[in-house]
PDB file of all heavy atoms in Angstrom:
ATOM      1  N   TYR Y   1       4.883   6.655  -6.051  1.00 97.00           N
ATOM      2  CA  TYR Y   1       4.027   7.473  -6.906  1.00 97.00           C
ATOM      3  C   TYR Y   1       4.273   7.049  -8.345  1.00 97.00           C
ATOM      4  O   TYR Y   1       5.423   6.999  -8.789  1.00 97.00           O
ATOM      5  CB  TYR Y   1       4.347   8.958  -6.739  1.00 97.00           C
ATOM      6  CG  TYR Y   1       4.181   9.420  -5.317  1.00 97.00           C
ATOM      7  CD1 TYR Y   1       5.261   9.425  -4.439  1.00 97.00           C
ATOM      8  CD2 TYR Y   1       2.940   9.830  -4.851  1.00 97.00           C
ATOM      9  CE1 TYR Y   1       5.110   9.828  -3.130  1.00 97.00           C
ATOM     10  CE2 TYR Y   1       2.783  10.239  -3.528  1.00 97.00           C
ATOM     11  CZ  TYR Y   1       3.870  10.225  -2.679  1.00 97.00           C
ATOM     12  OH  TYR Y   1       3.726  10.618  -1.373  1.00 97.00           O
ATOM     13  N   ALA Y   2       3.183   6.715  -9.047  1.00 97.00           N
ATOM     14  CA  ALA Y   2       3.267   6.337 -10.455  1.00 97.00           C
ATOM     15  C   ALA Y   2       2.619   7.441 -11.277  1.00 97.00           C
ATOM     16  O   ALA Y   2       1.499   7.863 -10.987  1.00 97.00           O
ATOM     17  CB  ALA Y   2       2.548   5.010 -10.696  1.00 97.00           C
ATOM     18  N   LEU Y   3       3.314   7.919 -12.282  1.00 97.00           N
ATOM     19  CA  LEU Y   3       2.818   8.957 -13.175  1.00 97.00           C
ATOM     20  C   LEU Y   3       2.700   8.345 -14.564  1.00 97.00           C
ATOM     21  O   LEU Y   3       3.712   8.032 -15.197  1.00 97.00           O
ATOM     22  CB  LEU Y   3       3.773  10.145 -13.177  1.00 97.00           C
ATOM     23  CG  LEU Y   3       3.365  11.341 -14.024  1.00 97.00           C
ATOM     24  CD1 LEU Y   3       2.098  11.982 -13.456  1.00 97.00           C
ATOM     25  CD2 LEU Y   3       4.484  12.354 -14.075  1.00 97.00           C
ATOM     26  N   ALA Y   4       1.464   8.130 -14.994  1.00 95.00           N
ATOM     27  CA  ALA Y   4       1.203   7.482 -16.281  1.00 95.00           C
ATOM     28  C   ALA Y   4       0.852   8.531 -17.327  1.00 95.00           C
ATOM     29  O   ALA Y   4      -0.164   9.229 -17.215  1.00 95.00           O
ATOM     30  CB  ALA Y   4       0.072   6.473 -16.145  1.00 95.00           C
ATOM     31  N   LYS Y   5       1.702   8.645 -18.336  1.00 93.00           N
ATOM     32  CA  LYS Y   5       1.494   9.608 -19.423  1.00 93.00           C
ATOM     33  C   LYS Y   5       0.357   9.116 -20.316  1.00 93.00           C
ATOM     34  O   LYS Y   5       0.313   7.951 -20.706  1.00 93.00           O
ATOM     35  CB  LYS Y   5       2.791   9.724 -20.211  1.00 93.00           C
ATOM     36  CG  LYS Y   5       2.754  10.705 -21.334  1.00 93.00           C
ATOM     37  CD  LYS Y   5       4.102  10.735 -22.023  1.00 93.00           C
ATOM     38  CE  LYS Y   5       3.977  11.365 -23.377  1.00 93.00           C
ATOM     39  NZ  LYS Y   5       5.163  11.127 -24.190  1.00 93.00           N
ATOM     40  N   MET Y   6      -0.576  10.008 -20.627  1.00 87.00           N
ATOM     41  CA  MET Y   6      -1.716   9.670 -21.486  1.00 87.00           C
ATOM     42  C   MET Y   6      -1.381   9.960 -22.940  1.00 87.00           C
ATOM     43  O   MET Y   6      -0.523  10.796 -23.241  1.00 87.00           O
ATOM     44  CB  MET Y   6      -2.953  10.491 -21.080  1.00 87.00           C
ATOM     45  CG  MET Y   6      -3.485  10.182 -19.696  1.00 87.00           C
ATOM     46  SD  MET Y   6      -4.114   8.498 -19.525  1.00 87.00           S
ATOM     47  CE  MET Y   6      -2.750   7.707 -18.677  1.00 87.00           C
ATOM     48  N   PRO Y   7      -2.067   9.268 -23.870  1.00 79.00           N
ATOM     49  CA  PRO Y   7      -1.810   9.520 -25.288  1.00 79.00           C
ATOM     50  C   PRO Y   7      -2.174  10.958 -25.665  1.00 79.00           C
ATOM     51  O   PRO Y   7      -3.187  11.478 -25.214  1.00 79.00           O
ATOM     52  CB  PRO Y   7      -2.721   8.540 -26.020  1.00 79.00           C
ATOM     53  CG  PRO Y   7      -3.453   7.757 -24.993  1.00 79.00           C
ATOM     54  CD  PRO Y   7      -3.078   8.263 -23.641  1.00 79.00           C
ATOM     55  N   LEU Y   8      -1.332  11.575 -26.465  1.00 78.00           N
ATOM     56  CA  LEU Y   8      -1.576  12.935 -26.914  1.00 78.00           C
ATOM     57  C   LEU Y   8      -2.807  12.953 -27.823  1.00 78.00           C
ATOM     58  O   LEU Y   8      -2.895  12.196 -28.777  1.00 78.00           O
ATOM     59  CB  LEU Y   8      -0.352  13.456 -27.679  1.00 78.00           C
ATOM     60  CG  LEU Y   8      -0.372  14.906 -28.100  1.00 78.00           C
ATOM     61  CD1 LEU Y   8      -0.456  15.818 -26.885  1.00 78.00           C
ATOM     62  CD2 LEU Y   8       0.876  15.225 -28.896  1.00 78.00           C
ATOM     63  N   ASN Y   9      -3.769  13.799 -27.495  1.00 75.00           N
ATOM     64  CA  ASN Y   9      -5.010  13.930 -28.259  1.00 75.00           C
ATOM     65  C   ASN Y   9      -5.756  12.605 -28.392  1.00 75.00           C
ATOM     66  O   ASN Y   9      -6.411  12.352 -29.400  1.00 75.00           O
ATOM     67  CB  ASN Y   9      -4.746  14.510 -29.652  1.00 75.00           C
ATOM     68  CG  ASN Y   9      -4.192  15.912 -29.563  1.00 75.00           C
ATOM     69  OD1 ASN Y   9      -4.614  16.698 -28.718  1.00 75.00           O
ATOM     70  ND2 ASN Y   9      -3.228  16.227 -30.398  1.00 75.00           N
ATOM     71  N   GLY Y  10      -5.627  11.743 -27.374  1.00 75.00           N
ATOM     72  CA  GLY Y  10      -6.317  10.460 -27.409  1.00 75.00           C
ATOM     73  C   GLY Y  10      -7.190  10.272 -26.188  1.00 75.00           C
ATOM     74  O   GLY Y  10      -7.172  11.066 -25.254  1.00 75.00           O
ATOM     75  N   ALA Y  11      -7.952   9.201 -26.215  1.00 78.00           N
ATOM     76  CA  ALA Y  11      -8.839   8.877 -25.109  1.00 78.00           C
ATOM     77  C   ALA Y  11      -8.045   8.290 -23.947  1.00 78.00           C
ATOM     78  O   ALA Y  11      -7.027   7.633 -24.147  1.00 78.00           O
ATOM     79  CB  ALA Y  11      -9.896   7.882 -25.574  1.00 78.00           C
ATOM     80  N   VAL Y  12      -8.527   8.514 -22.753  1.00 84.00           N
ATOM     81  CA  VAL Y  12      -7.930   7.911 -21.565  1.00 84.00           C
ATOM     82  C   VAL Y  12      -8.286   6.423 -21.598  1.00 84.00           C
ATOM     83  O   VAL Y  12      -9.452   6.064 -21.778  1.00 84.00           O
ATOM     84  CB  VAL Y  12      -8.480   8.578 -20.281  1.00 84.00           C
ATOM     85  CG1 VAL Y  12      -7.997   7.856 -19.047  1.00 84.00           C
ATOM     86  CG2 VAL Y  12      -8.090  10.043 -20.243  1.00 84.00           C
ATOM     87  N   PRO Y  13      -7.301   5.524 -21.441  1.00 88.00           N
ATOM     88  CA  PRO Y  13      -7.597   4.092 -21.482  1.00 88.00           C
ATOM     89  C   PRO Y  13      -8.381   3.641 -20.252  1.00 88.00           C
ATOM     90  O   PRO Y  13      -8.326   4.285 -19.196  1.00 88.00           O
ATOM     91  CB  PRO Y  13      -6.212   3.445 -21.523  1.00 88.00           C
ATOM     92  CG  PRO Y  13      -5.296   4.440 -20.941  1.00 88.00           C
ATOM     93  CD  PRO Y  13      -5.878   5.793 -21.247  1.00 88.00           C
ATOM     94  N   ALA Y  14      -9.096   2.528 -20.370  1.00 91.00           N
ATOM     95  CA  ALA Y  14      -9.892   1.981 -19.273  1.00 91.00           C
ATOM     96  C   ALA Y  14      -9.010   1.461 -18.144  1.00 91.00           C
ATOM     97  O   ALA Y  14      -9.442   1.364 -17.004  1.00 91.00           O
ATOM     98  CB  ALA Y  14     -10.811   0.880 -19.781  1.00 91.00           C
ATOM     99  N   ALA Y  15      -7.764   1.098 -18.480  1.00 94.00           N
ATOM    100  CA  ALA Y  15      -6.835   0.593 -17.469  1.00 94.00           C
ATOM    101  C   ALA Y  15      -5.422   1.042 -17.807  1.00 94.00           C
ATOM    102  O   ALA Y  15      -5.074   1.210 -18.973  1.00 94.00           O
ATOM    103  CB  ALA Y  15      -6.898  -0.924 -17.398  1.00 94.00           C
ATOM    104  N   ILE Y  16      -4.630   1.240 -16.763  1.00 94.00           N
ATOM    105  CA  ILE Y  16      -3.211   1.566 -16.887  1.00 94.00           C
ATOM    106  C   ILE Y  16      -2.448   0.342 -16.396  1.00 94.00           C
ATOM    107  O   ILE Y  16      -2.784  -0.217 -15.346  1.00 94.00           O
ATOM    108  CB  ILE Y  16      -2.833   2.782 -16.002  1.00 94.00           C
ATOM    109  CG1 ILE Y  16      -3.723   3.986 -16.285  1.00 94.00           C
ATOM    110  CG2 ILE Y  16      -1.357   3.114 -16.131  1.00 94.00           C
ATOM    111  CD1 ILE Y  16      -3.559   4.597 -17.638  1.00 94.00           C
ATOM    112  N   GLU Y  17      -1.419  -0.081 -17.131  1.00 95.00           N
ATOM    113  CA  GLU Y  17      -0.640  -1.246 -16.730  1.00 95.00           C
ATOM    114  C   GLU Y  17       0.843  -0.923 -16.721  1.00 95.00           C
ATOM    115  O   GLU Y  17       1.305  -0.125 -17.527  1.00 95.00           O
ATOM    116  CB  GLU Y  17      -0.900  -2.412 -17.683  1.00 95.00           C
ATOM    117  CG  GLU Y  17      -2.340  -2.885 -17.673  1.00 95.00           C
ATOM    118  CD  GLU Y  17      -2.563  -4.107 -18.549  1.00 95.00           C
ATOM    119  OE1 GLU Y  17      -1.640  -4.934 -18.685  1.00 95.00           O
ATOM    120  OE2 GLU Y  17      -3.664  -4.219 -19.103  1.00 95.00           O
ATOM    121  N   TRP Y  18       1.550  -1.553 -15.768  1.00 96.00           N
ATOM    122  CA  TRP Y  18       3.006  -1.456 -15.742  1.00 96.00           C
ATOM    123  C   TRP Y  18       3.584  -2.721 -15.136  1.00 96.00           C
ATOM    124  O   TRP Y  18       2.876  -3.515 -14.531  1.00 96.00           O
ATOM    125  CB  TRP Y  18       3.471  -0.208 -14.999  1.00 96.00           C
ATOM    126  CG  TRP Y  18       3.132  -0.138 -13.538  1.00 96.00           C
ATOM    127  CD1 TRP Y  18       3.762  -0.801 -12.515  1.00 96.00           C
ATOM    128  CD2 TRP Y  18       2.110   0.655 -12.928  1.00 96.00           C
ATOM    129  NE1 TRP Y  18       3.212  -0.474 -11.317  1.00 96.00           N
ATOM    130  CE2 TRP Y  18       2.185   0.424 -11.533  1.00 96.00           C
ATOM    131  CE3 TRP Y  18       1.158   1.531 -13.402  1.00 96.00           C
ATOM    132  CZ2 TRP Y  18       1.323   1.041 -10.630  1.00 96.00           C
ATOM    133  CZ3 TRP Y  18       0.321   2.136 -12.500  1.00 96.00           C
ATOM    134  CH2 TRP Y  18       0.404   1.898 -11.152  1.00 96.00           C
ATOM    135  N   THR Y  19       4.886  -2.888 -15.312  1.00 95.00           N
ATOM    136  CA  THR Y  19       5.601  -4.045 -14.795  1.00 95.00           C
ATOM    137  C   THR Y  19       6.496  -3.603 -13.644  1.00 95.00           C
ATOM    138  O   THR Y  19       7.176  -2.587 -13.735  1.00 95.00           O
ATOM    139  CB  THR Y  19       6.462  -4.687 -15.900  1.00 95.00           C
ATOM    140  OG1 THR Y  19       5.600  -5.041 -16.986  1.00 95.00           O
ATOM    141  CG2 THR Y  19       7.177  -5.921 -15.399  1.00 95.00           C
ATOM    142  N   GLY Y  20       6.490  -4.386 -12.556  1.00 93.00           N
ATOM    143  CA  GLY Y  20       7.312  -4.062 -11.395  1.00 93.00           C
ATOM    144  C   GLY Y  20       6.659  -3.005 -10.527  1.00 93.00           C
ATOM    145  O   GLY Y  20       5.507  -2.622 -10.738  1.00 93.00           O
ATOM    146  N   ASN Y  21       7.393  -2.529  -9.519  1.00 94.00           N
ATOM    147  CA  ASN Y  21       6.886  -1.512  -8.594  1.00 94.00           C
ATOM    148  C   ASN Y  21       5.504  -1.898  -8.068  1.00 94.00           C
ATOM    149  O   ASN Y  21       4.546  -1.124  -8.148  1.00 94.00           O
ATOM    150  CB  ASN Y  21       6.864  -0.140  -9.250  1.00 94.00           C
ATOM    151  CG  ASN Y  21       8.248   0.362  -9.558  1.00 94.00           C
ATOM    152  OD1 ASN Y  21       9.123   0.369  -8.694  1.00 94.00           O
ATOM    153  ND2 ASN Y  21       8.480   0.759 -10.792  1.00 94.00           N
ATOM    154  N   LEU Y  22       5.422  -3.128  -7.540  1.00 95.00           N
ATOM    155  CA  LEU Y  22       4.155  -3.678  -7.076  1.00 95.00           C
ATOM    156  C   LEU Y  22       3.663  -3.002  -5.797  1.00 95.00           C
ATOM    157  O   LEU Y  22       4.447  -2.729  -4.894  1.00 95.00           O
ATOM    158  CB  LEU Y  22       4.305  -5.173  -6.795  1.00 95.00           C
ATOM    159  CG  LEU Y  22       4.708  -6.034  -7.986  1.00 95.00           C
ATOM    160  CD1 LEU Y  22       4.969  -7.461  -7.519  1.00 95.00           C
ATOM    161  CD2 LEU Y  22       3.660  -6.009  -9.060  1.00 95.00           C
ATOM    162  N   PRO Y  23       2.343  -2.756  -5.718  1.00 95.00           N
ATOM    163  CA  PRO Y  23       1.771  -2.247  -4.472  1.00 95.00           C
ATOM    164  C   PRO Y  23       1.843  -3.326  -3.392  1.00 95.00           C
ATOM    165  O   PRO Y  23       1.861  -4.518  -3.682  1.00 95.00           O
ATOM    166  CB  PRO Y  23       0.309  -1.967  -4.831  1.00 95.00           C
ATOM    167  CG  PRO Y  23       0.263  -1.933  -6.318  1.00 95.00           C
ATOM    168  CD  PRO Y  23       1.351  -2.828  -6.786  1.00 95.00           C
ATOM    169  N   LYS Y  24       1.861  -2.895  -2.150  1.00 93.00           N
ATOM    170  CA  LYS Y  24       1.823  -3.808  -1.018  1.00 93.00           C
ATOM    171  C   LYS Y  24       0.489  -4.543  -1.044  1.00 93.00           C
ATOM    172  O   LYS Y  24      -0.556  -3.926  -1.272  1.00 93.00           O
ATOM    173  CB  LYS Y  24       1.980  -3.023   0.277  1.00 93.00           C
ATOM    174  CG  LYS Y  24       2.033  -3.860   1.506  1.00 93.00           C
ATOM    175  CD  LYS Y  24       2.268  -2.981   2.722  1.00 93.00           C
ATOM    176  CE  LYS Y  24       2.313  -3.805   3.974  1.00 93.00           C
ATOM    177  NZ  LYS Y  24       2.539  -2.970   5.160  1.00 93.00           N
ATOM    178  N   LYS Y  25       0.522  -5.845  -0.835  1.00 92.00           N
ATOM    179  CA  LYS Y  25      -0.696  -6.652  -0.869  1.00 92.00           C
ATOM    180  C   LYS Y  25      -1.709  -6.100   0.138  1.00 92.00           C
ATOM    181  O   LYS Y  25      -1.382  -5.837   1.289  1.00 92.00           O
ATOM    182  CB  LYS Y  25      -0.365  -8.100  -0.538  1.00 92.00           C
ATOM    183  CG  LYS Y  25      -1.528  -9.032  -0.727  1.00 92.00           C
ATOM    184  CD  LYS Y  25      -1.129 -10.460  -0.520  1.00 92.00           C
ATOM    185  CE  LYS Y  25      -2.343 -11.347  -0.771  1.00 92.00           C
ATOM    186  NZ  LYS Y  25      -1.995 -12.750  -0.690  1.00 92.00           N
ATOM    187  N   GLY Y  26      -2.939  -5.895  -0.337  1.00 92.00           N
ATOM    188  CA  GLY Y  26      -4.006  -5.390   0.518  1.00 92.00           C
ATOM    189  C   GLY Y  26      -4.027  -3.882   0.700  1.00 92.00           C
ATOM    190  O   GLY Y  26      -4.905  -3.355   1.375  1.00 92.00           O
ATOM    191  N   SER Y  27      -3.059  -3.177   0.098  1.00 94.00           N
ATOM    192  CA  SER Y  27      -3.031  -1.718   0.264  1.00 94.00           C
ATOM    193  C   SER Y  27      -4.013  -1.047  -0.691  1.00 94.00           C
ATOM    194  O   SER Y  27      -4.513  -1.659  -1.630  1.00 94.00           O
ATOM    195  CB  SER Y  27      -1.620  -1.181   0.031  1.00 94.00           C
ATOM    196  OG  SER Y  27      -1.244  -1.325  -1.316  1.00 94.00           O
ATOM    197  N   LYS Y  28      -4.261   0.224  -0.441  1.00 96.00           N
ATOM    198  CA  LYS Y  28      -5.151   1.009  -1.302  1.00 96.00           C
ATOM    199  C   LYS Y  28      -4.312   1.882  -2.208  1.00 96.00           C
ATOM    200  O   LYS Y  28      -3.226   2.312  -1.836  1.00 96.00           O
ATOM    201  CB  LYS Y  28      -6.077   1.874  -0.454  1.00 96.00           C
ATOM    202  CG  LYS Y  28      -7.075   1.063   0.343  1.00 96.00           C
ATOM    203  CD  LYS Y  28      -8.012   1.973   1.090  1.00 96.00           C
ATOM    204  CE  LYS Y  28      -9.046   1.160   1.841  1.00 96.00           C
ATOM    205  NZ  LYS Y  28     -10.041   2.006   2.479  1.00 96.00           N
ATOM    206  N   MET Y  29      -4.848   2.139  -3.398  1.00 98.00           N
ATOM    207  CA  MET Y  29      -4.177   3.011  -4.362  1.00 98.00           C
ATOM    208  C   MET Y  29      -5.078   4.216  -4.616  1.00 98.00           C
ATOM    209  O   MET Y  29      -6.270   4.060  -4.871  1.00 98.00           O
ATOM    210  CB  MET Y  29      -3.906   2.269  -5.666  1.00 98.00           C
ATOM    211  CG  MET Y  29      -3.109   3.086  -6.646  1.00 98.00           C
ATOM    212  SD  MET Y  29      -2.691   2.197  -8.171  1.00 98.00           S
ATOM    213  CE  MET Y  29      -1.687   0.864  -7.561  1.00 98.00           C
ATOM    214  N   LYS Y  30      -4.483   5.401  -4.531  1.00 97.00           N
ATOM    215  CA  LYS Y  30      -5.242   6.635  -4.691  1.00 97.00           C
ATOM    216  C   LYS Y  30      -4.883   7.312  -6.014  1.00 97.00           C
ATOM    217  O   LYS Y  30      -3.709   7.421  -6.362  1.00 97.00           O
ATOM    218  CB  LYS Y  30      -4.929   7.586  -3.541  1.00 97.00           C
ATOM    219  CG  LYS Y  30      -5.763   8.850  -3.536  1.00 97.00           C
ATOM    220  CD  LYS Y  30      -5.311   9.859  -2.496  1.00 97.00           C
ATOM    221  CE  LYS Y  30      -5.442   9.329  -1.100  1.00 97.00           C
ATOM    222  NZ  LYS Y  30      -5.084  10.347  -0.071  1.00 97.00           N
ATOM    223  N   LEU Y  31      -5.907   7.762  -6.732  1.00 96.00           N
ATOM    224  CA  LEU Y  31      -5.707   8.590  -7.915  1.00 96.00           C
ATOM    225  C   LEU Y  31      -5.574  10.016  -7.405  1.00 96.00           C
ATOM    226  O   LEU Y  31      -6.520  10.577  -6.831  1.00 96.00           O
ATOM    227  CB  LEU Y  31      -6.889   8.457  -8.874  1.00 96.00           C
ATOM    228  CG  LEU Y  31      -6.860   9.346 -10.104  1.00 96.00           C
ATOM    229  CD1 LEU Y  31      -5.636   9.063 -10.977  1.00 96.00           C
ATOM    230  CD2 LEU Y  31      -8.139   9.158 -10.915  1.00 96.00           C
ATOM    231  N   LEU Y  32      -4.411  10.611  -7.562  1.00 95.00           N
ATOM    232  CA  LEU Y  32      -4.146  11.916  -6.953  1.00 95.00           C
ATOM    233  C   LEU Y  32      -4.997  13.043  -7.535  1.00 95.00           C
ATOM    234  O   LEU Y  32      -5.302  14.008  -6.834  1.00 95.00           O
ATOM    235  CB  LEU Y  32      -2.661  12.250  -7.041  1.00 95.00           C
ATOM    236  CG  LEU Y  32      -1.765  11.318  -6.209  1.00 95.00           C
ATOM    237  CD1 LEU Y  32      -0.307  11.695  -6.383  1.00 95.00           C
ATOM    238  CD2 LEU Y  32      -2.158  11.347  -4.748  1.00 95.00           C
ATOM    239  N   GLN Y  33      -5.404  12.948  -8.794  1.00 90.00           N
ATOM    240  CA  GLN Y  33      -6.225  14.007  -9.387  1.00 90.00           C
ATOM    241  C   GLN Y  33      -7.566  14.152  -8.681  1.00 90.00           C
ATOM    242  O   GLN Y  33      -8.108  15.247  -8.595  1.00 90.00           O
ATOM    243  CB  GLN Y  33      -6.481  13.747 -10.885  1.00 90.00           C
ATOM    244  CG  GLN Y  33      -5.345  14.163 -11.767  1.00 90.00           C
ATOM    245  CD  GLN Y  33      -4.351  13.032 -12.012  1.00 90.00           C
ATOM    246  OE1 GLN Y  33      -4.194  12.107 -11.233  1.00 90.00           O
ATOM    247  NE2 GLN Y  33      -3.635  13.116 -13.122  1.00 90.00           N
ATOM    248  N   THR Y  34      -8.122  13.031  -8.196  1.00 90.00           N
ATOM    249  CA  THR Y  34      -9.443  13.067  -7.572  1.00 90.00           C
ATOM    250  C   THR Y  34      -9.386  12.855  -6.067  1.00 90.00           C
ATOM    251  O   THR Y  34     -10.343  13.175  -5.368  1.00 90.00           O
ATOM    252  CB  THR Y  34     -10.348  11.971  -8.166  1.00 90.00           C
ATOM    253  OG1 THR Y  34      -9.796  10.691  -7.844  1.00 90.00           O
ATOM    254  CG2 THR Y  34     -10.506  12.134  -9.668  1.00 90.00           C
ATOM    255  N   GLY Y  35      -8.291  12.285  -5.567  1.00 94.00           N
ATOM    256  CA  GLY Y  35      -8.198  11.952  -4.156  1.00 94.00           C
ATOM    257  C   GLY Y  35      -8.977  10.701  -3.790  1.00 94.00           C
ATOM    258  O   GLY Y  35      -9.094  10.350  -2.624  1.00 94.00           O
ATOM    259  N   LYS Y  36      -9.518  10.008  -4.802  1.00 94.00           N
ATOM    260  CA  LYS Y  36     -10.322   8.808  -4.562  1.00 94.00           C
ATOM    261  C   LYS Y  36      -9.499   7.554  -4.837  1.00 94.00           C
ATOM    262  O   LYS Y  36      -8.560   7.564  -5.630  1.00 94.00           O
ATOM    263  CB  LYS Y  36     -11.568   8.825  -5.441  1.00 94.00           C
ATOM    264  CG  LYS Y  36     -12.492   9.977  -5.080  1.00 94.00           C
ATOM    265  CD  LYS Y  36     -13.754   9.939  -5.883  1.00 94.00           C
ATOM    266  CE  LYS Y  36     -14.653  11.098  -5.473  1.00 94.00           C
ATOM    267  NZ  LYS Y  36     -15.894  11.126  -6.207  1.00 94.00           N
ATOM    268  N   TYR Y  37      -9.902   6.485  -4.171  1.00 97.00           N
ATOM    269  CA  TYR Y  37      -9.214   5.213  -4.360  1.00 97.00           C
ATOM    270  C   TYR Y  37      -9.693   4.530  -5.631  1.00 97.00           C
ATOM    271  O   TYR Y  37     -10.849   4.679  -6.033  1.00 97.00           O
ATOM    272  CB  TYR Y  37      -9.433   4.315  -3.150  1.00 97.00           C
ATOM    273  CG  TYR Y  37      -8.766   4.865  -1.914  1.00 97.00           C
ATOM    274  CD1 TYR Y  37      -9.513   5.451  -0.904  1.00 97.00           C
ATOM    275  CD2 TYR Y  37      -7.381   4.830  -1.774  1.00 97.00           C
ATOM    276  CE1 TYR Y  37      -8.896   5.981   0.223  1.00 97.00           C
ATOM    277  CE2 TYR Y  37      -6.755   5.361  -0.656  1.00 97.00           C
ATOM    278  CZ  TYR Y  37      -7.521   5.925   0.335  1.00 97.00           C
ATOM    279  OH  TYR Y  37      -6.910   6.453   1.439  1.00 97.00           O
ATOM    280  N   VAL Y  38      -8.780   3.804  -6.271  1.00 97.00           N
ATOM    281  CA  VAL Y  38      -9.090   3.079  -7.500  1.00 97.00           C
ATOM    282  C   VAL Y  38      -8.830   1.597  -7.284  1.00 97.00           C
ATOM    283  O   VAL Y  38      -8.074   1.193  -6.405  1.00 97.00           O
ATOM    284  CB  VAL Y  38      -8.239   3.594  -8.688  1.00 97.00           C
ATOM    285  CG1 VAL Y  38      -8.618   5.011  -9.049  1.00 97.00           C
ATOM    286  CG2 VAL Y  38      -6.752   3.502  -8.386  1.00 97.00           C
ATOM    287  N   LYS Y  39      -9.475   0.777  -8.102  1.00 97.00           N
ATOM    288  CA  LYS Y  39      -9.284  -0.667  -8.044  1.00 97.00           C
ATOM    289  C   LYS Y  39      -8.020  -1.029  -8.806  1.00 97.00           C
ATOM    290  O   LYS Y  39      -7.718  -0.419  -9.836  1.00 97.00           O
ATOM    291  CB  LYS Y  39     -10.488  -1.382  -8.642  1.00 97.00           C
ATOM    292  CG  LYS Y  39     -11.744  -1.193  -7.834  1.00 97.00           C
ATOM    293  CD  LYS Y  39     -12.902  -1.920  -8.475  1.00 97.00           C
ATOM    294  CE  LYS Y  39     -14.171  -1.686  -7.671  1.00 97.00           C
ATOM    295  NZ  LYS Y  39     -15.325  -2.356  -8.260  1.00 97.00           N
ATOM    296  N   TRP Y  40      -7.304  -2.039  -8.301  1.00 98.00           N
ATOM    297  CA  TRP Y  40      -6.099  -2.499  -8.968  1.00 98.00           C
ATOM    298  C   TRP Y  40      -5.934  -3.990  -8.727  1.00 98.00           C
ATOM    299  O   TRP Y  40      -6.468  -4.548  -7.770  1.00 98.00           O
ATOM    300  CB  TRP Y  40      -4.876  -1.720  -8.499  1.00 98.00           C
ATOM    301  CG  TRP Y  40      -4.594  -1.844  -7.027  1.00 98.00           C
ATOM    302  CD1 TRP Y  40      -5.088  -1.039  -6.036  1.00 98.00           C
ATOM    303  CD2 TRP Y  40      -3.784  -2.820  -6.375  1.00 98.00           C
ATOM    304  NE1 TRP Y  40      -4.626  -1.456  -4.815  1.00 98.00           N
ATOM    305  CE2 TRP Y  40      -3.822  -2.557  -4.997  1.00 98.00           C
ATOM    306  CE3 TRP Y  40      -3.020  -3.900  -6.822  1.00 98.00           C
ATOM    307  CZ2 TRP Y  40      -3.140  -3.325  -4.067  1.00 98.00           C
ATOM    308  CZ3 TRP Y  40      -2.335  -4.662  -5.890  1.00 98.00           C
ATOM    309  CH2 TRP Y  40      -2.394  -4.372  -4.536  1.00 98.00           C
ATOM    310  N   THR Y  41      -5.215  -4.637  -9.629  1.00 97.00           N
ATOM    311  CA  THR Y  41      -4.903  -6.056  -9.501  1.00 97.00           C
ATOM    312  C   THR Y  41      -3.452  -6.273  -9.909  1.00 97.00           C
ATOM    313  O   THR Y  41      -2.849  -5.429 -10.579  1.00 97.00           O
ATOM    314  CB  THR Y  41      -5.803  -6.928 -10.404  1.00 97.00           C
ATOM    315  OG1 THR Y  41      -5.590  -6.550 -11.768  1.00 97.00           O
ATOM    316  CG2 THR Y  41      -7.274  -6.782 -10.054  1.00 97.00           C
ATOM    317  N   THR Y  42      -2.920  -7.414  -9.505  1.00 96.00           N
ATOM    318  CA  THR Y  42      -1.598  -7.818  -9.966  1.00 96.00           C
ATOM    319  C   THR Y  42      -1.690  -9.216 -10.536  1.00 96.00           C
ATOM    320  O   THR Y  42      -2.533 -10.015 -10.133  1.00 96.00           O
ATOM    321  CB  THR Y  42      -0.546  -7.807  -8.833  1.00 96.00           C
ATOM    322  OG1 THR Y  42      -0.970  -8.682  -7.796  1.00 96.00           O
ATOM    323  CG2 THR Y  42      -0.332  -6.417  -8.283  1.00 96.00           C
TER     324      THR Y  42
END
């Protein structure tokens, strides 16, 4: 589970990036707020 803190009083960025903690190749990533899958790349 990745929890990405958003900027205080700022816009939500178009993409979230981090280093390490790579998803399994071919797996799906779910945005927990919506329950929908999101696109991701490495």
Side-chain angles (χ1 to χ4, degrees):
Y1 302 93
L3 182 66
K5 182 179 162 194
M6 295 295 101
L8 186 61
N9 297 321
V12 173
I16 306 293
E17 297 184 32
W18 64 77
T19 302
N21 294 309
L22 299 174
K24 183 177 179 180
K25 188 175 182 175
S27 68
K28 292 184 178 185
M29 185 177 298
K30 186 188 297 184
L31 176 61
L32 294 178
Q33 279 91 334
T34 64
K36 295 184 179 180
Y37 293 106
V38 293
K39 294 180 182 179
W40 61 271
T41 61
T42 58

